[in-house]
Amino acid sequence: MFNGKKAAIDDLTDTWLLTVPEAAFGTDYCMTISLDDGVTRCYIDGNAVDRDYTFINVRPGATYHLWALSGADTITANVQFTYWPVIQIYGNYTKRPYYNGTVIYSHPDSAVLESIISRVRWAGSSTAGADRKKHNFHLKFYNEDGSKKNMSFGGLRSDFHWRLDAGQVDFSRVRNRVAKDVWADFATQPYYAAYEPKVPHSYVRGDFVEVFLNDQYMGIYSLNEHMDRQQLKLKQYDYANSEFHGGLWKPMSMSYVTLFAQLLDFDSSSKTWDQFYVKYPNIDDVNPTNFNTLAEAVKFSVLSSDAEFLDSAQYYFDIPVFRDYYLFLLLMQAPDNIGKNVYYACHDVAADKRLTIAIWDLDCTQGQFYSNQGSNYHHELVSPEYDMKNNQLVRHNVMRRLWQTDSTFHNLAMKRYWQLRATTFNPDSILNRYRNYFDEMKRCGADHREIARWSYGSDLGGRQLDFDNELEYIRDWWTRHIDFLDNNTFAPQAGDVNGDGVINIADVATLIRYILTQNVVLRFQSADLDGSGVINVADVVVLINEVLRR
């Protein structure tokens, strides 16, 4: 025992991992060591251990060699340190059903190892395949009497249901987190946030941890909140009166129905409609369930005329959020999140049937394809210059009809893009998010352990895991992708200096502000109106004349 806690053991490498406060790194760290019964001698780096032992210069990746004698048996181990929380899972699991197990949680700032009665299964669809080596996990926690055990980790919400995301195909391990961070920074709140007392989150938050399964190191994970009624603050089902209120649905895989392009009959006693899965209310609690609200939206998308769609889409869809999601998909180059890996929610079907959106599972974005096998690695669909709008997003019938029937839809998305181009959408800003996460990994040594465990593995298509190389790939990808968006998808017309889709006096003001301060992001081609190759007062004169002419 080290300061009253047992180390997490990796039988694959004979490594014992200890989680300690971050302040211990870079210091000589003294720990109280208690030997198990029967251990007669113990040495660390050749020094005899009695009770207290000082580990010299605790640092990322440093290894301290332990040797002990227990009866006639010799024990050897490589002791390493982290300051991330450590989770140990015990049990044998598959995709379904949940199986009983034990989860042990160790926080660096606590002397307590919390052993939790759990039910566990693999999470995801393709990521839960038997061919995967590093699985995602659903965790459900219980008390001894069988009641649900709500717990909170790292300042996240209190709940009994948690998810461990592995990012197993992602060469950065953090694309999902970066994408969620960007969405959280700019996305419009759902329509009901104005009157819902509690703040809804259309994304899940998480905390990085290191995970062990049956005494084998599994690597870097994100311990995430669960996307559900509580996360989105949907109104609860009325059991007393058997009335539906909040509704939540998720596509299991892409289909014409999940693309809002085909209307099929549904069975209210089934938990699925085509590839849609009802998440709330849980069909085990409420049967028959409610697919009506979702089906009405699909029906409207499929059968309405262009005039009807233009006039009434606002009553079926949370347009500002759909617009931000449209922008987000194009920004992140996310073909895997068009007809699946997304949630559709309704706050209260009895009062307002509009669907809003919650994001989900964004590992396969920003230049990362969902498979690394053979030619799938860096697939064309996720290349920085791929025209996803006209080749992939056009398949989503609601998105397509929104931008084709309403010119303001794309124009407002374009305006939002240019408003954020110098800040949240700046490639340097996004790259700094990656740098910060990579620095976290390196400062606690998790990067070395992850690379040692998974480099050249089948989840990576037999390729090397190298975070420095991946950072350079991401830098190049974002630089080229933003350039493509600037000059293609969100390229404003000449004179539309602020990128809002119209040419008016606001563009004149933006152009003058640029000339005076240079503190405005604009597209050169839209502002160099006299073709001189320089943006100056002559361009202001041309623009004023154009505005007056209109």
Side-chain angles (χ1 to χ4, degrees), residues 272-284:
T272 62
W273 171 38
D274 187 62
Q275 292 301 315
F276 274 116
Y277 183 95
V278 61
K279 301 293 287 188
Y280 183 81
N282 190 315
I283 198 165
D284 294 334

Side-chain angles (χ1 to χ4, degrees), residues 89 92-101 118-125 128 135-140 161-164 226 277 279:
I89 304 172
N92 296 307
Y93 308 110
T94 59
K95 183 175 181 177
R96 285 185 177 85
Y98 281 92
Y99 285 96
N100 293 330
S118 307
R119 290 180 64 76
V120 182
R121 72 171 178 87
W122 296 343
S125 52
H135 288 103
N136 304 325
F137 292 96
H138 278 298
L139 309 176
K140 292 185 176 181
H161 190 178
W162 293 84
R163 178 177 167 121
L164 283 168
H226 194 59
Y277 183 95
K279 301 293 287 188

Side-chain angles (χ1 to χ4, degrees), residues 337-354:
N337 297 80
I338 295 174
K340 61 175 184 172
N341 293 325
V342 60
Y343 281 87
Y344 295 97
C346 184
H347 178 250
D348 183 358
V349 301
D352 190 331
K353 60 187 176 184
R354 277 181 289 174

Side-chain angles (χ1 to χ4, degrees), residues 37 43 67 96 116 135 152 227 250 274 278 309 318 337 353 358 384 392 481 490 514:
D37 292 341
Y43 295 84
W67 181 94
R96 285 185 177 85
I116 311 163
H135 288 103
S152 180
M227 182 55 70
K250 179 180 181 292
D274 187 62
V278 61
F309 189 88
D318 187 358
N337 297 80
K353 60 187 176 184
Q392 293 295 320
H481 184 54
F490 297 116
Y514 174 82

Side-chain angles (χ1 to χ4, degrees), residues 24 61 72 77-78 118 127 168 200 207 213 229 284 294 371 387 464 485:
N78 304 304
S118 307
T127 55
Q168 60 270 85
D207 191 23
L213 175 63
R229 186 199 67 79
D284 294 334
L294 180 65
S371 169
D387 183 3
Q464 182 181 13
L485 295 178

Side-chain angles (χ1 to χ4, degrees), residues 289-341:
T289 190
N290 172 32
F291 280 117
N292 288 307
T293 305
L294 180 65
E296 286 178 14
V298 173
K299 180 179 180 180
F300 173 77
S301 171
V302 172
L303 299 181
S304 62
S305 67
D306 284 349
E308 290 170 334
F309 189 88
L310 182 62
D311 179 67
S312 299
Q314 61 185 314
Y315 303 118
Y316 291 88
F317 308 106
D318 187 358
I319 302 297
V321 173
F322 269 71
R323 184 187 302 118
D324 280 351
Y325 192 61
Y326 164 82
L327 171 56
F328 182 69
L329 290 174
L330 296 173
L331 178 73
M332 292 291 156
Q333 199 78 309
D336 208 36
N337 297 80
I338 295 174
K340 61 175 184 172
N341 293 325

